[in-house]
Amino acid sequence: MERISWDEYFMAQSHLLAYRSTCTRLAVGATIVRDKRIIAGGYNGSISGGVHCIDEGCYVIDGHCVRTIHAEMNAILQCAKFGVPVEGAEMYVTHFPCLHCCRTIIQSGIKTLYYAQDYKNHPYAIEQFKEAGLIVKQVPFNENKMNPHYEDQMQLTFDLLQAVEEGAADSQDKVARLRQKAEQLYPAALHLK
């Protein structure tokens, strides 16, 4: 497997954080980095000890869930809570931040923002980033690249499709070889047999 870049590494951390999200509308993760070291991480969810959207649904006012604290805010608040300065740091986030988070990122002193996916990119947020001199870069993220078996799994899938198309049910040896390969590539799925 090819070694990933620093940007891919920190973006992968943000995607991993997004798996902790309790938001049912969009799972977002954010990682704050200084000198190639992670200093904080956050995901979108309710306040500590509060009711979560995944349990009771979103609390929507004017089209926005007011129950959720955004990932970027949670990461910055984690730094504030533990006295970790963010001045000059970088932030990696899975989706382009909302207008409120953009202003918070600027005000916190973060100097570079990396995001993986466009998400309602507000023109005023882009304008404010430019005015503040904050560097904004999109870092496309391919989650499949993190899986060392991805190419083999894709090949198996296409081999199975081809075998079905060719009527390989008559060829027990080919089916047995494909099943063995599938069991090697998907060991967690053996219980599905």
Side-chain angles (χ1 to χ4, degrees), residues 120-134:
K120 301 180 181 179
N121 302 25
H122 198 286
Y124 189 52
I126 296 166
E127 182 182 327
Q128 285 194 312
F129 279 147
K130 284 180 185 172
E131 286 176 6
L134 198 137

Side-chain angles (χ1 to χ4, degrees), residues 3 23 115 117 138 143 151 167 178-179:
R3 187 177 189 200
C23 177
Y115 70 98
Q117 294 178 30
Q138 187 171 19
E143 195 169 343
E151 289 181 15
L178 290 172
R179 176 174 283 287

Side-chain angles (χ1 to χ4, degrees), residues 34-55:
R34 188 176 38 249
D35 300 324
K36 302 287 186 244
R37 300 289 178 263
I38 296 170
I39 60 173
Y43 53 87
N44 54 336
S46 300
I47 60 170
S48 297
V51 173
H52 295 285
C53 296
I54 57 173
D55 298 326

Side-chain angles (χ1 to χ4, degrees), residues 2 4 7 25 27 30-31 33 37-38 41 44 69 97 104 109-111 115 120 125 131 139 148 154 159 166 184 190:
E2 174 187 331
I4 62 174
D7 287 344
R25 301 172 95 195
T31 305
V33 175
R37 300 289 178 263
I38 296 170
N44 54 336
I69 301 172
T104 302
I110 288 171
K111 293 298 177 199
Y115 70 98
K120 301 180 181 179
E131 286 176 6
V139 176
M154 288 297 296
D159 289 347
E166 294 172 355
Q184 290 170 347
L190 288 177

Side-chain angles (χ1 to χ4, degrees), residues 165-183:
E165 288 172 355
E166 294 172 355
D170 298 337
S171 174
Q172 294 300 317
D173 287 343
K174 186 171 185 178
V175 171
R177 282 193 311 274
L178 290 172
R179 176 174 283 287
Q180 183 179 17
K181 189 171 183 180
E183 289 173 353

Side-chain angles (χ1 to χ4, degrees), residues 5-172:
S5 70
W6 283 111
D7 287 344
E8 290 172 316
Y9 172 73
F10 295 126
M11 194 59 76
Q13 296 297 319
S14 294
H15 278 79
L16 186 60
L17 282 161
Y19 282 111
R20 289 283 306 153
S21 172
T22 59
C23 177
T24 59
R25 301 172 95 195
L26 181 69
V28 179
T31 305
I32 301 176
V33 175
R34 188 176 38 249
D35 300 324
K36 302 287 186 244
R37 300 289 178 263
I38 296 170
I39 60 173
Y43 53 87
N44 54 336
S46 300
I47 60 170
S48 297
V51 173
H52 295 285
C53 296
I54 57 173
D55 298 326
E56 295 197 13
C58 293
Y59 184 9
V60 179
I61 297 175
D62 296 328
H64 299 283
C65 180
V66 296
R67 187 186 316 261
T68 301
I69 301 172
H70 292 187
E72 303 91 328
M73 295 277 202
N74 268 329
I76 291 168
L77 289 169
Q78 186 180 76
C79 287
K81 186 174 185 177
F82 295 106
V84 178
V86 296
E87 182 74 34
E90 303 170 318
M91 178 180 276
Y92 290 80
V93 65
T94 57
H95 297 78
F96 191 87
C98 74
L99 185 56
H100 297 295
C101 286
C102 289
R103 290 195 302 260
T104 302
I105 290 166
I106 292 166
Q107 200 68 5
S108 73
I110 288 171
K111 293 298 177 199
T112 307
L113 174 77
Y114 299 93
Y115 70 98
Q117 294 178 30
D118 289 318
Y119 184 73
K120 301 180 181 179
N121 302 25
H122 198 286
Y124 189 52
I126 296 166
E127 182 182 327
Q128 285 194 312
F129 279 147
K130 284 180 185 172
E131 286 176 6
L134 198 137
I135 299 164
V136 179
K137 295 181 182 176
Q138 187 171 19
V139 176
F141 182 74
N142 180 356
E143 195 169 343
N144 293 321
K145 189 174 181 179
M146 303 298 122
N147 175 359
H149 302 293
Y150 174 70
E151 289 181 15
D152 291 334
Q153 290 169 339
M154 288 297 296
Q155 187 61 53
L156 173 66
T157 302
F158 287 112
D159 289 347
L160 287 167
L161 288 170
Q162 183 179 358
V164 169
E165 288 172 355
E166 294 172 355
D170 298 337
S171 174
Q172 294 300 317

